């Protein structure tokens, strides 16, 4: 993969696919009993703030258009999660996202909130992957020379509307001139135990569901492998953007690795 520099003429693109099914109302290990849906919403809201902040290069200047961002939830229905003026939009520039905060969190630091948690319905993962694919096919057509889009899917269960491997492979087949789309999967834990992070083989994964998602997860490019190594992972050649049985800390580290494109941003 060619690591095309991300700048305002060639922005990058993130889409986060978030499981919002009924089982996401259950606790996630390592979060003091907090529900998976709430923890995930808090993490992605904080991540949006981080991305917005790192795109501000001059005081009193709006964020530079280094990224387009989308958040799609899937549970009772499949829909874009950004609200306010971005309601219904599957993608928005980082500058638009910065202006679309729907409320401020009721906490000491008053963190901005772009969307709230939800946990109901089943797990229509295939429909979510299809929405992401249709969105990104259009984005790639408009940005053929940009760094390939990054899609991060976070779920705690099996797809209930078909085989996600078909749709995941369709996503991975999308490409810019710099390479194929990067598709990562984070499988949340319900029972605790050790997470399997960035494996290079499916051997040892305990079920067919995890093995299937491993197979359609992209290999980590070199700069993401370096970031994973910095975080303490013993990354092997062929390591993939896949985490199985993830507790809260494993999710945080996986998101750090999966969004570590800041080394390529125009300064």
């Amino acid at each position: 993969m060619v690591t095309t520099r991300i700048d305002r003429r060639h922005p990058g693109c993130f889409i986060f696919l978030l499981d919002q099914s009924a089982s996401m109302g259950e606790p996630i290990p390592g979060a003091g009993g907090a529900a998976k849906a709430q923890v995930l919403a808090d993490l992605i809201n904080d991540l949006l703030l981080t991305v917005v902040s790192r795109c501000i290069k001059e005081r009193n200047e709006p964020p530079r258009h280094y990224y387009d961002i989308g958040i799609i939830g899937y549970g009772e229905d499949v829909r874009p999660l950004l609200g306010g003026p971005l309601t219904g939009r599957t993608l928005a520039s980082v500058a638009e996202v910065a202006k679309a905060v729907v409320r401020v969190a009721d906490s000491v630091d008053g963190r901005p909130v772009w969307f709230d948690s939800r946990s109901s319905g089943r797990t229509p993962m295939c429909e979510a992957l299809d929405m992401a694919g249709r969105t990104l096919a259009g984005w790639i057509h408009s940005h053929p020379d940009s760094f390939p889009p990054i899609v991060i899917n976070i779920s705690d269960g099996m797809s209930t509307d078909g085989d996600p491997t078909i749709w995941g492979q369709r996503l991975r087949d999308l490409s810019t001139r710099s390479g194929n789309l990067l598709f990562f999967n984070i499988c949340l834990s319900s029972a605790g135990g050790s997470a399997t992070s960035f494996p290079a083989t499916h051997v040892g994964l305990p079920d067919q569901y995890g093995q299937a998602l491993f197979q359609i997860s992209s290999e980590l490019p070199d700069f993401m492998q370096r970031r994973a190594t910095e975080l303490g992972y013993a990354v092997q050649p062929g390591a993939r953007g896949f985490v199985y049985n993830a507790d809260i800390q494993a999710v945080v580290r996986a998101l750090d690795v999966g969004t570590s494109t800041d080394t390529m941003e125009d300064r």
Side-chain angles (χ1 to χ4, degrees), residues 11 27 29 31 33 47 52 70 85 87 92 129 133 135-136 138 150 153 160 169 193 223 251:
L47 180 58
V52 167
T87 299
L129 294 173
T135 298
L136 290 173
I150 297 171
N153 176 43
T160 57
Q169 189 56 56
F223 66 92
V251 176

Side-chain angles (χ1 to χ4, degrees), residues 11-201:
C13 184
F14 294 120
I15 286 188
F16 301 95
L17 305 178
L18 309 183
D19 186 347
Q20 294 189 314
S21 63
S23 61
M24 290 292 287
E26 300 169 358
I28 183 172
K36 287 176 276 191
Q38 185 60 59
V39 169
L40 187 55
D42 290 343
L43 287 176
I44 300 300
N45 276 301
D46 285 349
L47 180 58
L48 289 179
L49 177 59
T50 298
V51 174
V52 167
S53 298
R54 79 188 194 202
C55 292
I56 297 173
K57 302 302 180 181
E58 300 289 343
R59 181 175 294 183
N60 300 322
E61 180 186 85
R64 296 182 182 181
H65 185 192
Y66 289 159
Y67 296 101
D68 292 310
I69 300 171
I71 308 174
I72 296 171
Y74 56 97
E76 189 173 328
D77 55 11
V78 177
R79 62 191 179 98
L81 296 183
L82 291 172
L86 301 180
T87 299
R89 293 266 300 273
T90 52
L91 275 182
S93 72
V94 67
E96 292 175 307
V97 170
K99 296 188 290 186
V101 174
V102 295
R103 65 180 179 85
V104 174
D106 298 327
S107 60
V108 174
D109 56 3
R111 309 281 280 180
V113 173
W114 280 271
F115 70 97
D116 289 303
S117 67
R118 190 181 184 194
S119 52
S120 61
R122 304 187 77 186
T123 313
M125 187 183 296
C126 295
E127 186 178 349
L129 294 173
D130 180 43
M131 181 179 288
R134 288 184 284 111
T135 298
L136 290 173
W139 187 89
I140 287 170
H141 180 75
S142 299
H143 303 85
D145 297 314
S146 284
F147 185 81
I150 297 171
V151 178
I152 300 179
N153 176 43
I154 310 175
S155 176
D156 76 338
M158 296 179 64
S159 171
T160 57
D161 64 344
D163 182 357
T165 60
I166 299 170
W167 299 96
Q169 189 56 56
R170 288 180 180 179
L171 267 181
R172 287 186 57 188
D173 287 343
L174 295 173
S175 63
T176 67
R177 293 190 179 101
S178 292
N180 285 71
L181 176 149
L182 296 172
F183 180 40
F184 301 152
N185 288 279
I186 302 173
C187 300
L188 300 180
S189 172
S190 295
S194 299
T196 300
S197 299
F198 313 122
T201 175

